[in-house]
Amino acid sequence: MLLKDLEHNQHEQAMKFLSACEYEEAAPWRVFLLVAMLMRVTVVANNTFRFPQNFSFSAATSSYQVEGGWNEDGKGVNIWDSETHKHPELISDFSNGDVAADSYHKYTEDIKLLKDLGVQFYRFSISWPRILPNGHVTLVNQAGIHYYNNIINGLLAYGIQPMVTMYHWDLPQALQNLGGWTNIYMVECFEDYARLLYKLFGDRVRWWITINEPLIISQGYAGEKGRAPNINAPGTGDYLTIKTMVLAHARAYRVYLREFKDTQKGKVGIALNINWYEAYANNSEDISAAERTIQYELGLYANPIFSTTGDYPPDLKERIAQNSKAEGFRRSRLPSFTQQEISYIRGTWDFFGLNHYTTVWALAALREPVDLRMKDFGAERIQDPSCPRGSSKWLMTVPWGFRKILRWIKQKYNNPPVFVTECGYSDDGRLQDEERVKYYVEYLREMLKAMYYDGCNVIGFTAWTLLDSFEWRGGYRERFGLFYVNFSDPTRPRIAKESARVYKEIVRTWQVPTRYPQYSYDTQECSPTIPL
Ligand code: PNW
């Protein structure tokens, strides 16, 4: 349908509605509906959607990626310190986060950048070993507390809301020595750590994220090179971490609910990353392969928390149990939850944190599975190297996939409030970063369509990332920042890229600028061939 027809139809609907109201009492929901209809008319008439009034914009970083100060003022060693120091060859440019963007010293400057962007939120993470050098609450590092107090107070002074991630991958090495997330004991450690954070900062922090991307964390136990702690146990070690992380999240949520929520009135969620998986061919095998991949990468974490039934997705649970049995295991490699645990975990969310970057094609498996994990999800994931992409080889610009995954989440989990906690594009760090601008313009347009046409309850959007930073195994070669950082200059100066200016304009005008044409990312031209 053409936009102008839509506009016309909606006018008509609104008019019919108005005349119906003349005969009936105008119940509050009717008035609400009318306002909603008229708003839609205005947005379409302007040929662009405006963000809803109570929407929020944010920019994000994570502690290990920006702070530096790796051994300053009593901070303990984390698994990324260990990995990058022992195995620099696992990082594309042999670098590490020892100094990174030096936000440990330059945080006031970072807060000014946020102020300049005009965002309502800053999402940052707390380094567990900067607060608890050995991971346990028996030794607390005052300098660490001081540092995060300064950030939080600095943000609030400018009217910016802190959104705090408790865990963004920098596990205290002392806890990894006990097996890290494979050890169910971590649930206790995480509870203690979370409680301490609520006590220390919860009087000012209203938005908490327990764990960032458990999927990627689990891959650090599944032999994916360059993901700390770099343990190679696909299909077993990674599955142990899933149960631990989901329970640890639930525990942190319930501690808040029991001990803090009444007084602090904040919200607790989790940040889950997921690509859109598009079926390669329009046949039932590929369609179910794509669905299974989403369930495997998202459902294993989201279903226990967000679904009404709780527990892992039933089909996948069954499939892994069957595979395990056939392999001679006495029980499923995916450790099960008890009934009590299922009810304990179900519903432990105030919002759904979504990290989304790209779309990948899925088809029914062609090759012999190379490990147990691949056998379990039983699909090929493929991309096309000739498609538009930046400096991260996994990241293609596919805006329409964003809308599809938002719709999937709406359907599967009953339309929870989604705060997009990461979205962004990498390049080589150029200041005229046109491709990043196009990426944000198109992704935000698709997000608005998901909101206005599909009714997805998206409440906020976070640009990943504020600053060029240490991109894990991509080192400093993959730059996601709105601000450029010169890493060869000891003072680590920050310079706004073109994308920072455009993002600022979006936040100021509350809409995506109309001067940008609809860029075509017609993936028909791409023929995905390369297994990931
Ligand atoms: C996220 N993938 O990781 C992390 O939360 C950030 O710390 C990171 O800098 C950012 O995305 C960019 O990489 C991801 O392969 C890593 O689909 C890989 C994927 C997704 C997210």
Side-chain angles (χ1 to χ4, degrees):
M1 197 188 326
L2 292 172
L3 280 178
K4 96 175 160 359
D5 297 337
L6 188 66
E7 184 191 340
H8 180 70
N9 277 349
Q10 290 191 336
H11 257 305
E12 225 168 43
Q13 277 176 26
M15 288 309 133
K16 270 195 201 141
F17 180 84
L18 259 182
S19 53
C21 277
E22 282 173 22
Y23 303 101
E24 288 176 50
E25 239 185 303
W29 67 269
R30 285 187 169 278
V31 176
F32 173 80
L33 256 180
L34 177 67
V35 172
M37 275 179 173
L38 288 173
M39 261 176 65
R40 227 175 120 158
V41 171
T42 352
V43 291
V44 176
N46 289 343
N47 201 11
T48 180
F49 293 112
R50 286 177 68 81
F51 294 94
Q53 220 169 23
N54 54 359
F55 195 77
S56 299
F57 284 100
S58 179
T61 60
S62 88
S63 45
Y64 186 73
Q65 294 182 271
V66 298
E67 283 180 5
W70 80 278
N71 60 356
E72 276 182 59
D73 302 338
K75 173 183 162 292
V77 172
N78 69 47
I79 56 175
W80 277 91
D81 296 322
S82 306
E83 165 143 327
T84 54
H85 293 162
K86 272 197 226 127
H87 293 289
E89 76 283 0
L90 294 177
I91 309 302
S92 73
D93 56 2
F94 300 88
S95 65
N96 57 51
D98 287 1
V99 181
D102 200 23
S103 290
Y104 188 60
H105 299 109
K106 292 178 69 95
Y107 65 90
T108 39
E109 204 177 307
D110 296 344
I111 294 171
K112 287 200 187 105
L113 302 180
L114 291 156
K115 164 79 180 145
D116 182 53
L117 282 178
V119 286
Q120 287 75 41
F121 276 87
Y122 177 41
R123 174 182 176 222
F124 66 96
S125 79
I126 290 185
S127 153
W128 188 338
R130 198 182 285 292
I131 300 277
L132 301 175
N134 304 320
H136 289 111
V137 282
T138 45
L139 174 66
V140 182
N141 178 30
Q142 287 305 324
I145 298 176
H146 186 67
Y147 173 62
Y148 295 111
N149 268 331
N150 286 346
I151 296 184
I152 292 165
N153 296 340
L155 290 169
L156 291 174
Y158 283 131
I160 302 166
Q161 285 284 320
M163 178 183 269
V164 174
T165 311
M166 300 177 185
Y167 183 71
H168 200 126
W169 308 1
D170 39 3
L171 191 70
Q173 183 59 47
L175 296 181
Q176 186 53 48
N177 297 346
L178 305 177
W181 293 103
T182 61
N183 189 343
I184 201 83
Y185 170 60
M186 280 288 295
V187 177
E188 315 288 325
C189 303
F190 194 69
E191 170 185 345
D192 295 350
Y193 169 55
R195 182 182 287 104
L196 179 68
L197 297 186
Y198 299 140
K199 271 193 192 146
L200 290 170
F201 309 118
D203 57 335
R204 289 151 294 152
V205 173
R206 294 283 178 270
W207 290 76
W208 295 98
I209 290 172
T210 54
I211 297 178
N212 179 69
E213 301 191 349
L215 168 67
I216 305 286
I217 297 168
S218 79
Q219 292 172 352
Y221 296 78
E224 292 235 354
K225 280 270 172 296
R227 293 215 197 283
N230 216 6
I231 285 165
N232 187 8
T236 52
D238 49 349
Y239 291 2
L240 294 176
T241 74
I242 298 178
K243 177 169 179 177
T244 314
M245 291 188 288
V246 169
L247 268 174
H249 157 81
R251 186 74 71 87
Y253 182 92
R254 299 232 173 250
V255 164
Y256 192 76
L257 196 61
R258 232 182 8 250
E259 302 171 29
F260 299 93
K261 191 151 181 148
D262 277 353
T263 49
Q264 301 186 345
K265 306 196 182 343
K267 294 182 194 298
V268 180
I270 184 169
L272 301 174
N273 65 298
I274 188 66
N275 300 324
W276 172 250
Y277 286 96
E278 179 77 3
Y280 180 65
N282 192 13
N283 61 42
S284 61
E285 287 81 17
D286 288 2
I287 291 170
S288 57
E291 174 70 13
R292 198 160 54 241
T293 307
I294 300 180
Q295 291 291 7
Y296 187 86
E297 294 195 350
L298 178 64
L300 284 181
Y301 309 87
N303 214 73
I305 300 170
F306 293 93
S307 71
T308 44
T309 46
D311 202 3
Y312 299 119
D315 291 358
L316 204 51
K317 187 179 163 182
E318 179 56 27
R319 188 180 163 102
I320 298 175
Q322 293 284 333
N323 285 349
S324 305
K325 201 165 151 202
E327 290 148 7
F329 286 94
R330 287 188 47 238
R331 52 185 74 79
S332 178
R333 287 180 276 103
L334 180 67
S336 57
F337 294 118
T338 63
Q339 264 315 314
Q340 213 186 2
E341 286 169 336
I342 291 172
S343 353
Y344 182 82
I345 296 164
R346 193 179 51 210
T348 55
W349 57 272
D350 296 320
F351 63 95
F352 189 119
L354 170 67
N355 296 356
H356 176 79
Y357 289 88
T358 195
T359 285
V360 174
W361 279 257
L363 65 153
L366 303 169
R367 300 171 288 172
E368 274 302 301
V370 295
D371 59 32
L372 298 177
R373 218 169 38 132
M374 189 167 165
K375 203 156 131 193
D376 292 341
F377 69 78
E380 306 279 349
R381 293 166 297 178
I382 55 176
Q383 285 188 309
D384 177 354
S386 66
C387 282
R389 73 182 63 220
S391 61
S392 305
K393 78 172 193 338
W394 55 272
L395 208 177
M396 276 172 54
T397 300
V398 188
W400 50 263
F402 191 19
R403 180 176 174 189
K404 290 196 178 188
I405 194 65
L406 285 167
R407 215 154 42 183
W408 193 94
I409 292 167
K410 177 192 168 190
Q411 282 160 3
K412 290 295 192 308
Y413 307 124
N414 234 331
N415 208 12
V418 172
F419 202 120
V420 177
T421 37
E422 285 182 26
C423 184
Y425 180 85
S426 68
D427 60 17
D428 56 5
R430 63 192 65 186
L431 294 178
Q432 285 307 322
D433 55 340
E434 275 158 42
E435 290 304 321
R436 178 172 296 100
V437 170
K438 286 187 195 171
Y439 180 98
Y440 278 123
V441 162
E442 290 299 337
Y443 271 64
L444 284 170
R445 283 176 177 163
E446 290 298 319
M447 186 184 81
L448 285 163
K449 286 186 204 162
M451 294 162 69
Y452 284 99
Y453 292 145
D454 310 331
C456 297
N457 187 11
V458 185
I459 60 172
F461 180 87
T462 309
W464 182 270
T465 171
L466 178 66
L467 301 173
D468 284 347
S469 44
F470 177 75
E471 179 44 39
W472 310 110
R473 61 188 173 190
Y476 297 100
R477 284 197 179 145
E478 299 175 24
R479 306 290 192 97
F480 281 83
L482 295 173
F483 289 84
Y484 165 82
V485 177
N486 181 352
F487 292 98
S488 28
D489 184 330
T491 69
R492 299 292 192 275
R494 283 94 161 105
I495 304 172
K497 300 178 187 177
E498 179 59 20
S499 56
R501 279 186 279 276
V502 174
Y503 197 55
K504 179 177 171 168
E505 181 184 343
I506 292 170
V507 178
R508 183 171 51 79
T509 58
W510 225 239
Q511 63 185 41
V512 179
T514 43
R515 65 176 174 282
Y516 293 103
Q518 187 87 34
Y519 298 109
S520 154
Y521 290 101
D522 184 359
T523 44
Q524 298 305 316
E525 292 162 16
C526 297
S527 51
T529 47
I530 303 296
L532 274 191

